[in-house]
Amino acid sequence: MMGDMASEETRTTTSQPVRSSAADEPRRPATRAWTMRLLVVGIVLSALNLRPAITSLGALLEEVRDGLGMSGSVAGLLTSVPPLCFALFGVTAPRLARRFGPGAVVCAGMVAITAGLLIRPYTGSTAGFLAASALALMGIAVSNVLMPVIVKRWFPDRVGSMTGLYSMALALGTAAAAAVTVPMADVLGGSWQSGLAVWAGLAAGAVLPWIPFVRQRDAGPAEESAARREHARVEAPALRITRSRTAWALAVFFGLQATAAYITMGWMAQIFRDAGVPASTAGLLLAVTMVMGVPLAFVIPRVAARLPHQGPIVIALGACGLAGYAGLYLAPAAGAWAWALLLGVANCAFPLALTMVGMRARTGAGVAQLSAFAQSTGYLISIPGPLLVGVLYQHSGGWGLPIALMAALMVPQMVVGVLAGRNRTVEEEAAR
């Protein structure tokens, strides 16, 4: 896009428009192709960094609790910080994108993730750890909301495949952090601080591809006029989004799947460790759960984009979740690998939700508003879940009640997911 704008400016200002246009023409497709490839790299690297801040902590939660003197209830609060930050900061993303441009906001988000991950292990206190975590999660929050917008704006004819690619990279980063954080901590001298801080390096690498897009808002008259008009529509508060039943259904679905995901990321390794599974194996089991999203996060959005109703996929994922929770309750250690696989399939409700955000709105404006509303409202809904699990675990002395809660929440998730998957758009409903 930037190459197109530069080319257009040359043709506009030159005194020999025909010669200049002919000279520029061979460069324009190559420049645009390079820009699009760079954008894809930026999306993938950003997605890789949207969960390691959380799953790396889940793998070392016991060591962090001991190191900082946390109780089970405080640790539950720590696992509730991600959805809280996503709800508070995610709603600001469209406004920030309007003022600075989406590329600049995502770039700043990657900087915030880098700084937060680098600082938090060395604060020496629970309050400092929470504050640095919040900084990283703020960067994740705005990127969460803007990714569907960027995909819709730049790849309108490939929403399913690009969402799948983004979701697959997100799942890969999630799984990698769960699998290798404990071994890396061991290699780095057995320090949980080093095991957490090392992920700042991956986040720093994700800053670079977005730097050329920071100036995107400043450029380009002619060829970008349509895109700028679309950008204005993306940011304009044109819809009464709260009047849409589909928007509410999608928000609740997003919130319940996020509840399940953050309970899993924050507590599943601990469930296995309490059942007698070694810490390194428990980390691998969490990684298996997360890595299931790598192939499925690419396949599910592509399949969902071809279906008029996504309800059958919602039901299938929910059934896997119920089976996984039942196994986790009855035989957590004996069938650990099977339960990890089933819960990994159930966690793929996240890429499905992202795909439905792109499908339940006709325009970039609708996608921006629906993404901000569904994610911010959804993350607000998900806040109590991880905290409640920590409280139930501490006061009941076991995992029976927390697992029962997880299974019970899967039922309304399936119901609202079917409602959100109906073939309709928020523009139609908000206009009634």
Side-chain angles (χ1 to χ4, degrees):
M1 179 178 280
M2 292 173 66
D4 288 353
M5 294 188 301
S7 220
E8 188 66 34
E9 285 182 345
T10 303
R11 294 196 305 273
T12 305
T13 57
T14 183
S15 58
Q16 298 178 340
V18 176
R19 262 181 59 192
S20 180
S21 179
D24 285 344
E25 196 63 37
R27 291 200 302 268
R28 289 177 55 225
T31 302
R32 180 170 178 81
W34 177 86
T35 301
M36 298 300 284
R37 284 194 290 268
L38 184 63
L39 185 63
V40 171
V41 170
I43 290 171
V44 169
L45 286 178
S46 297
L48 285 171
N49 282 281
L50 295 183
R51 292 300 178 269
I54 303 164
T55 50
S56 62
L57 176 59
L60 290 171
L61 184 58
E62 186 170 311
E63 287 76 11
V64 174
R65 286 175 59 188
D66 293 340
L68 298 177
M70 291 183 190
S71 66
S73 297
V74 173
L77 175 63
L78 184 61
T79 58
S80 292
V81 168
L84 175 62
C85 289
F86 294 166
L88 293 178
F89 299 119
V91 74
T92 67
R95 185 178 303 149
L96 292 171
R98 179 175 64 241
R99 181 169 182 181
F100 301 106
V105 176
V106 174
C107 185
M110 294 301 113
V111 172
I113 295 170
T114 304
L117 293 182
L118 190 61
I119 293 168
R120 75 173 179 176
Y122 303 107
T123 58
S125 68
T126 299
F129 192 95
L130 287 170
S133 294
L135 175 62
L137 293 166
M138 177 175 63
I140 296 172
V142 294
S143 301
N144 272 338
V145 171
L146 291 179
M147 282 299 161
V149 178
I150 290 171
V151 167
K152 182 77 170 183
R153 180 180 176 189
W154 288 82
F155 306 95
D157 56 340
R158 288 182 282 164
V159 170
S161 60
M162 286 303 300
T163 301
L165 180 64
Y166 153 70
S167 301
M168 185 173 65
L170 188 150
L172 182 60
T174 304
V180 306
T181 296
V182 172
M184 279 197 303
D186 293 339
V187 168
L188 296 170
S191 166
W192 62 266
Q193 289 94 338
S194 299
L196 293 181
V198 72
W199 293 102
L202 181 63
V207 175
L208 302 178
W210 292 103
I211 293 175
F213 297 95
V214 168
R215 297 173 297 171
Q216 186 186 72
R217 67 191 187 282
D218 298 327
E223 202 158 333
E224 269 303 286
S225 59
R228 287 209 318 237
R229 287 195 299 271
E230 173 65 11
H231 179 60
R233 289 196 300 270
V234 163
E235 305 301 344
L239 294 175
R240 296 180 181 179
I241 199 75
T242 55
R243 298 179 61 178
S244 168
R245 293 181 180 179
T246 297
W248 279 108
L250 188 52
V252 176
F253 177 69
F254 201 99
L256 291 174
Q257 68 80 28
T259 299
Y262 288 111
I263 290 173
T264 299
M265 286 187 279
W267 289 109
M268 197 178 83
Q270 192 66 49
I271 293 174
F272 286 127
R273 291 178 72 168
D274 287 351
V277 176
S280 58
T281 305
L284 284 175
L285 287 165
L286 178 58
V288 167
T289 299
M290 299 299 113
V291 84
M292 287 301 297
V294 176
L296 292 179
F298 188 70
V299 172
I300 288 175
R302 294 169 68 88
V303 174
R306 289 174 168 83
L307 295 177
H309 195 310
Q310 289 73 47
I313 304 177
V314 171
I315 297 297
L317 298 180
C320 289
L322 289 174
Y325 289 134
L328 207 57
Y329 179 84
L330 296 171
W337 295 100
W339 319 142
L341 287 170
L342 286 169
L343 292 174
V345 175
N347 276 348
C348 288
F350 175 72
L352 177 61
L354 288 180
T355 306
M356 287 196 287
V357 167
M359 296 180 67
R360 297 287 87 86
R362 286 196 305 264
T363 65
V367 172
Q369 289 184 262
L370 181 58
S371 180
F373 175 74
Q375 293 199 44
S376 296
T377 305
Y379 284 127
L380 277 175
I381 292 170
S382 71
I383 290 169
L387 177 59
L388 185 56
V389 165
V391 172
L392 288 175
Y393 170 57
Q394 179 155 332
H395 289 282
S396 68
W399 287 106
L401 285 177
I403 292 172
L405 172 66
M406 299 178 215
L409 291 175
M410 189 59 68
V411 177
Q413 176 180 321
M414 295 163 70
V415 173
V416 294
V418 170
L419 294 176
R422 294 174 299 174
N423 187 17
R424 56 193 63 190
T425 65
V426 293
E427 287 90 349
E428 296 169 353
E429 296 180 339
R432 291 175 188 169

